[in-house]
Amino acid sequence: MTRPATTRVFFAGGGTGGHLYPGLAIARALVNQAPHIQPHFIGAWRGIEREVLPTTEFPFTLLDLHPLYRHAPWKNWRTVVGAVGAWRELTRLAAPNTPRAVIGTGGYAAGVALAWGRAHGVLTMLHEPDSHPGLTTRTFAKGARSLFLGFPEAANRLAVGAHTQVLPLGCPIEPPPPTPLSRAEARRVWGLPDDAFVVLVVGGSQGARALNEVVAAWTQQALPSGVAVIWATGKQQAAAYLDRESGMVRVRPYLAPIAEAYAAADLAVTRAGAMTIAELCAWGIPSLLVPLPTAAQDHQTHNAQATQAAGAARYVPQRDFTVSTLDAAVRALRDDPAARNAMHAAALQRARPGAAADIARSVIVTLDLGAVGIG
């Protein structure tokens, strides 16, 4: 079989980092394993990809794409007009070298490209990070060649075609280093006692105001004996909390890289985004998951419930997340190493630190099969 000099693959997805960063991780793994593959990213002008894609090594095209305005349907004319223009642009973009596949990673930025690929006989593949699949995944799952799942539970909520491979290979993340810092070494980096019980609080790059307010009030009172806190407030909220640092509390706007914080942590208090949970599982960190209640289709609650059912976390609805519940949960887990060990083991059981490489291998095999006519 003669392979072309380059094999083009469109990646379509964005709007949020949870839809864009998995695509970037898969694309990098693809190029690492098969340098002849040439990823090209399709995104929306109004999504996070506008800021992120120009900083990457990949060619990209940003289109005038819009979501479905469910609560303001009179605005959907923008969605239709944008989709028509995007379709024409995709046709023009593909003319010199038709892509072998379109890989959708979710969000409204993926839908038009997947529909275009389906209409032009191009293989379509999907990555769904959440336990409750989004609209794009539900719409295109049935005709997809491969469906890569971050949560195996998502398969129960999808109707797929007879020839669709459903592969629960996980969410592509930056895996822990082969030899991470020991817990004691990491605590020394943070200037914390070797024997401290370290609680890591992370609300995402923008922070989570509901988490920050509770943690701020909790750290103002006497922390439980031996408890230390590493607290990432989010860049936009940092000014209000940076003065809360003390002997056992470390406050940072953002943790990048985050490996030293993960290595130091006994317990994490976080939102329940798919990528965050994937990282916590890869590091084997027990967690209190406080889902964002306004997340689309309440997908973070589904993620938290699935992770709790697996034994790796405890789910706390935001309405129940208070100073007293946080304090009680920290004390209980500090004093119950058997429970922490069980959560640690359950997290590692769910972990898929090699997800990006595994997904890339599957894509390469599928593209080779497609090249010999198994379309």
Side-chain angles (χ1 to χ4, degrees), residues 262-349:
Y262 281 153
D266 292 291
L267 175 69
V269 179
T270 75
R271 288 301 197 190
M275 305 302 288
T276 295
I277 292 173
E279 290 182 359
L280 293 173
C281 287
W283 284 84
I285 301 174
S287 56
L288 300 180
L289 299 176
V290 186
L292 176 67
T294 57
Q297 301 172 92
D298 203 20
H299 69 267
Q300 287 202 9
T301 293
H302 292 284
N303 291 349
Q305 290 171 334
T307 310
Q308 176 175 263
R314 294 183 181 176
Y315 156 52
V316 184
Q318 183 170 294
R319 65 180 177 273
D320 298 333
F321 185 67
T322 64
V323 172
S324 60
T325 58
L326 172 60
D327 191 73
V330 170
R331 290 175 186 272
L333 286 169
R334 178 201 60 184
D335 297 337
D336 193 347
R340 295 200 311 275
N341 289 338
M343 294 171 75
H344 168 78
L348 291 178
Q349 184 68 30

Side-chain angles (χ1 to χ4, degrees), residues 80-104:
V80 174
V81 172
V84 171
W87 192 281
R88 292 172 179 161
E89 180 63 16
L90 287 166
T91 301
R92 184 200 65 77
L93 185 65
N97 184 3
T98 302
R100 289 287 311 284
V102 177
I103 300 177

Side-chain angles (χ1 to χ4, degrees), residues 12 16 169 192 197 212 217 223 240 322-323 326 335-336 350:
T16 66
L169 297 180
L192 297 172
F197 182 82
N212 284 340
L223 289 173
T322 64
V323 172
L326 172 60
D335 297 337
D336 193 347
R350 297 278 289 195

